[in-house]
Amino acid sequence: APASVLPPPMLLDAVTLADTVAWLRDSIRNTTHANAGSAGGKFPLLSSRVNAIADFRPLAAVIRRAVLPNGEISDDASPELRRIRATMGHTRETIQKSLERILRSRGGEAGEDYVTLRNDRFVIPVRAAERRQVQGVVHSASATGQTVFVEPFETIEFNNRLVQLSEDEAAEITRILDEITQRLRANLAPLRFAVDAIAELDSVFARARFARDFDCTLPEFSDGASR
């Protein structure tokens, strides 16, 4: 669909296609150079077919810069994404330090001196009986109800900022994926041709391997009547 944005795994499939095309072009080029005495090399028809496939290496380089092999979006995908993620890191660090300072000042018992997440916000555990000692918003409670998870007032603004940054990150990732999708869409016809050509060449190579493995020979036809 025109408005659809391709997910990272599909973009990596395009990289695989580009790599396959590059390997074919190099293989045919090496064969042609090894048989430079004949026009088009030893396999002129195959060489012509492969050379008709577009070179997608620049497109693959764009995708590789944006999408990591595991499908995650790289910090290098855009300067804006790098800036957003750096700010997110600093904001998380600020929240962590603030909450750890509160935990130290309270002198919590072992098992209650950690920072965790509830509803995508950083909170600290507080005994329900001591709830009023920490001013903030309660996001959830433990299964027994003896512990509540509180977001202190002094970190609410930073948590809000982190939520906004997460939304900014998601929007920037969508923009990046859309930009790459548009580049692929602009090359849709050459990409389809490449897929069809590779399928055809794969069939040719498979038949060649079969002929070699079973010591096949070319049939000879004659105009004479069979006897």
Side-chain angles (χ1 to χ4, degrees):
S4 63
V5 175
L6 295 178
M10 294 188 70
L11 297 181
L12 292 177
D13 287 342
V15 171
T16 299
L17 175 62
D19 289 344
T20 301
V21 170
W23 174 82
L24 278 172
R25 293 169 69 92
D26 289 343
S27 297
I28 291 297
R29 184 181 298 107
N30 291 338
T31 300
T32 300
H33 288 169
N35 298 272
S38 57
K42 187 177 182 181
F43 309 107
L45 296 180
L46 290 180
S47 179
S48 175
R49 186 65 169 170
V50 171
N51 289 334
I53 304 175
D55 185 357
F56 300 111
R57 284 176 296 184
L59 184 58
V62 171
I63 297 173
R64 279 196 172 97
R65 185 169 60 250
V67 184
L68 298 174
N70 63 2
E72 295 181 0
I73 305 303
S74 169
D75 292 350
D76 295 329
S78 77
E80 178 63 9
L81 184 60
R82 179 178 291 280
R83 183 196 67 78
I84 291 171
R85 287 180 171 175
T87 306
M88 290 176 71
H90 294 322
T91 304
R92 288 194 191 97
E93 184 178 354
T94 298
I95 296 172
Q96 289 272 357
K97 288 181 177 179
S98 295
L99 294 178
E100 289 169 359
R101 184 173 60 252
I102 293 173
L103 287 172
R104 286 194 302 270
S105 68
R106 296 188 67 248
E109 299 179 7
E112 296 181 356
D113 56 350
Y114 61 92
V115 176
T116 186
L117 281 171
R118 290 294 186 277
N119 301 323
D120 295 325
R121 301 178 77 86
F122 287 95
V123 296
I124 56 175
V126 178
R127 285 186 179 276
E130 302 172 357
R131 163 68 185 87
R132 294 183 181 278
Q133 296 180 12
V134 180
Q135 297 297 308
V137 178
V138 175
H139 284 275
S140 65
S142 63
T144 63
Q146 295 182 357
T147 301
V148 293
F149 295 93
V150 181
E151 178 186 7
F153 285 145
E154 67 182 81
T155 61
I156 285 179
E157 182 179 347
F158 291 109
N159 267 320
N160 289 342
R161 175 61 174 156
L162 193 58
V163 170
Q164 181 60 58
L165 286 167
S166 295
E167 294 176 357
D168 293 345
E169 179 191 31
E172 178 63 8
I173 287 174
T174 297
R175 188 198 67 77
I176 291 166
L177 294 178
D178 180 66
E179 184 178 280
I180 298 175
T181 297
Q182 293 304 323
R183 295 190 64 161
L184 285 171
R185 188 172 286 119
N187 287 274
L188 187 58
L191 287 167
R192 284 176 172 168
F193 177 82
V195 171
D196 291 340
I198 289 172
E200 178 186 355
L201 292 168
D202 185 57
S203 174
V204 170
F205 295 150
R207 281 176 278 163
R209 284 192 296 270
F210 180 90
R212 181 189 60 194
D213 293 344
F214 288 88
D215 197 23
C216 298
T217 59
L218 288 172
E220 293 184 3
F221 298 94
S222 65
D223 294 334
S226 59
R227 297 181 180 179

